Amino acid sequence: FRSKGGKNTTKLKQKDLHNITQIDGSTFAKDELALLFLIAYYTENDVSIINVNFEDKSIANQYKNIKKILSHLNIKIEDNMQNISILKSKIDIKTQIDCNGDVKIIMMLAYMALNSKKAIIIKNVENIYNYDKYFFQRFKDFGAKVEIIHD
């Protein structure tokens, strides 16, 4: 991570998270792209994720799905070659998103919803229970409003 002052941050604290301006995507596992977007969402700056290997089909597919979802949430993204810029914004629309059972995207959206002004309805979340059967219960335990809808 690189903070606003330009120094590298290795021991990450909550206050450091707000100052991040750049994340080196090459230092994360290829299935953690959703986590990088979540970190970028919670900063107080525009954030660049650099050195993203779009030649890896797994990463390219994740990015395609995440970009579509974030666009639906009115979060602005710019990309070129190996870099992605997430422009500072907050979710202020009520929306419904189908995550197609992708556990990483379910988690990303659930955490983003904690800081949104409007409700986010996440569809097809059943796979989260295979990963962590208490995932949404912990959100309730922290006081978040979670409503499980069966349709």
Side-chain angles (χ1 to χ4, degrees), residues 15-79:
K15 65 179 179 149
D16 297 328
L17 183 61
H18 295 293
N19 293 321
I20 291 172
T21 57
Q22 190 176 82
I23 302 170
D24 187 346
S26 68
T27 62
F28 286 83
K30 67 180 180 178
D31 66 342
E32 293 182 332
L33 195 57
L35 172 64
L36 302 183
F37 277 91
L38 181 62
I39 292 168
Y41 176 75
Y42 272 96
T43 68
E44 295 182 1
N45 308 297
D46 294 349
V47 175
S48 293
I49 302 174
I50 62 169
N51 301 319
V52 179
N53 182 7
F54 287 116
E55 292 179 12
D56 182 304
K57 289 185 181 189
S58 172
I59 292 173
N61 285 336
Q62 283 179 69
Y63 179 60
K64 180 179 153 190
N65 292 336
I66 292 169
K67 185 176 180 178
K68 180 179 171 185
I69 287 169
L70 296 184
S71 172
H72 190 72
L73 294 171
N74 291 336
I75 295 176
K76 306 279 187 261
I77 300 173
E78 297 173 352
D79 55 48

Side-chain angles (χ1 to χ4, degrees), residues 69 72-73 95-99 109 120-124:
I69 287 169
H72 190 72
L73 294 171
T95 190
Q96 178 172 296
I97 297 175
D98 188 343
C99 63
L109 288 171
I120 297 176
I121 300 167
I122 309 168
K123 294 183 70 171
N124 293 316

Side-chain angles (χ1 to χ4, degrees), residues 83-139:
N83 302 323
I84 304 166
S85 294
I86 300 94
L87 307 181
K88 187 63 194 151
S89 53
K90 292 290 178 199
I91 300 167
D92 61 359
I93 59 169
K94 182 176 180 175
T95 190
Q96 178 172 296
I97 297 175
D98 188 343
C99 63
N100 296 311
D102 185 318
V103 172
K104 301 287 184 174
I105 292 178
I106 294 167
M107 292 189 301
M108 178 188 78
L109 288 171
Y111 283 107
M112 290 175 91
L114 292 175
N115 197 32
S116 69
K117 296 177 183 176
K118 306 281 181 165
I120 297 176
I121 300 167
I122 309 168
K123 294 183 70 171
N124 293 316
V125 298
E126 296 80 19
N127 287 349
I128 196 70
Y129 300 112
N130 296 330
Y131 182 80
D132 178 356
K133 67 181 182 179
Y134 300 108
F135 181 78
F136 288 116
Q137 182 58 47
R138 278 197 294 284
F139 277 74

